[in-house]
Amino acid sequence: MNKFPLLILGSIALSANGQQHMPDKPNIIFILSDDVGYGDLSCYGAKAVQTPSIDNLASKGIRFTHAYACSSTCTPSRYGLLTGQYPWRRNDTGIARGDAPMIISPDQKTVASVLKDAGYETGVVGKWHLGLGEGGFNNQAWNDSITPGPKQIGFDYSFIMAATGDRVPCVFVENQRVARLNPKDPIQVSYTTPFEGEPTGKANPELLKLHPSHGHDQAIVNGISRIGFMKGGKSALWVDENIADTITTKAVNFIERNRNHPFFLYFCTQDIHVPRVPHPRFRGKTTMGARGDAIVEFDWSVGRITETLKRLGLDKNTLIIVSSDNGPVVDDGYKDEAREKLGNHTPWGPLRGGKYSAFEAGTRVPFILSWPGNARKGTSEAMVSQIDLMATLCGLVGQPVPPGSAPDSYNQLEVWLGKSSKNRSCIIEQSTGTLSLVDGIFKYIQPSNGPKTDDFTHTELGNDPEPQLYNLRDDQDEKNNLARQHPEMVKKLSDQLTKSKSNP
Ligand code: NG6
Ligand code: CA
């Protein structure tokens, strides 16, 4: 039953005989920001920061108000997005170290490999965070060809950061080789042992331009201490201030190279993850310090992508999605004044929780789809999930979902294009401590003995030893636990969750 009505403005292109035209191989760009919250964009109500390029896509396309990432942290969220399998079905999809082996096996089908099979040129640019190489931790050939990597799971081209901006190695990896590496200065990486003679954030705080607030006190690169130790690779080290420029240029180059051929680009920005060090030209663009300025930088990246499409005449034939991998966090480990300068801004919008949390702001994220002439314009309240990317894009390009793959992914094309307002049958959200299931207006959070609040980030995690049941329509900030009043609903949803766990 549809509990969230669809609000549609405008219409889709119809031909003279009233039939809708849908090109069979549009270009596809999925732009995934990092840690951008439900309330962080001006088209989702933010006032203290303006995001005109993203708002422009929203005004030409469809903006979802009930869209979910697969998990409230990055690695599992991205695993689900690319494979169509819920990350909690495996026990090795937690936040990956920079020396973790690749989590997605080359035998698995991914969004990239199915689109490649459908004749697309495929590329990934930006944050990867799904592990690289094989044979356990710390087993990557950083000074040679690193395999398996994006190519083995369907990406023809890759220009990636192995993990996160705050984890070593702080280098870009292009087509599975460290970019700009001088062979005379090889890279070494360790997540267990410091390298003798190398300064660390802990021992040498005087070398830092950005200090950690928690953790992040190991290798120092560009005056910022990170998680993990590294040595060497001086010519290859990234400069945080230039990351957005570098990866956006690589994304633009990929589009230019493939202007005459259908392409799929998975563009994952470092913004607005920590360390937040936007280019000086964005500094002071908001009153919120680095976190607000990083949102402006992210919007700039989106603008460069859309300008490129326009310049190349590809804007009409390209489907773009802009979303985020998980909810927002204010202080995620560096003293960047995000908390002090937040003012009245609410990164989580009207929702409760944030990154890491089982409450809605952990996984309910911005999600905008634009495909001029083919997707409707307006706002949709239909429940959608990033887990459906694989089956939906297969539906779009007429490629069958390969048997045995993407078990949790459903073709939601009609909903994603705004032609239907039907909710997904249910959505399972993963937090750092538990699982939740949303079905229509009701949300059930499975009991958990985990901490109620994360000590470092001060996020309410949503863990409770008692079952929780919320009515998201009347109580979207999850303040009123109805579990005792509605034991029958708790049982129904908890049985549904148990069934989904054993039977995708
Ligand atoms: C946490 C890090 C945090 C961030 C997160 C992953 C500490 C104290 N905190 O462990 O800074 O890196 O992992 O974020 O180290 S994610 O968006 O990639 O999932
Ligand atoms: Ca993230």
Side-chain angles (χ1 to χ4, degrees), residues 33-35 72-75 78 127 273 324-327 355:
S33 62
D34 202 347
D35 299 359
S72 65
T73 56
C74 173
T75 303
R78 288 158 199 248
K127 174 175 170 175
H273 198 278
S324 182
D325 68 336
N326 53 249
K355 180 175 179 177

Side-chain angles (χ1 to χ4, degrees), residues 34-35 73-74 95 127 129 164 166-167 214 216 227 273-274 325-326 332 355-356:
D34 202 347
D35 299 359
T73 56
C74 173
I95 298 172
K127 174 175 170 175
H129 210 187
T164 57
D166 57 346
R167 283 173 176 75
H214 49 271
H216 302 104
I227 306 172
H273 198 278
V274 296
D325 68 336
N326 53 249
D332 204 19
K355 180 175 179 177
Y356 310 109

Side-chain angles (χ1 to χ4, degrees), residues 28-33 74-83 104 110-112 115 121-130 150 153 155 157-160 247 250-251 254-255 263-269 305 321 323-325 386 389 393:
I28 302 165
I29 303 181
F30 195 101
I31 304 178
L32 190 65
S33 62
C74 173
T75 303
S77 178
R78 288 158 199 248
Y79 174 85
L81 172 90
L82 287 182
T83 64
I104 304 176
T110 66
V111 170
L115 290 175
E121 193 69 17
T122 55
V124 52
V125 174
K127 174 175 170 175
W128 181 242
H129 210 187
L130 289 163
I153 60 165
F155 289 102
Y157 173 73
S158 59
F159 184 89
I160 56 171
I247 61 175
K250 292 288 179 183
F254 176 83
I255 297 170
F263 63 82
F264 166 61
L265 171 64
Y266 172 48
F267 179 39
C268 326
T269 66
I305 300 291
I321 296 172
S323 193
S324 182
D325 68 336
Q386 293 176 3
L389 185 69
L393 293 187

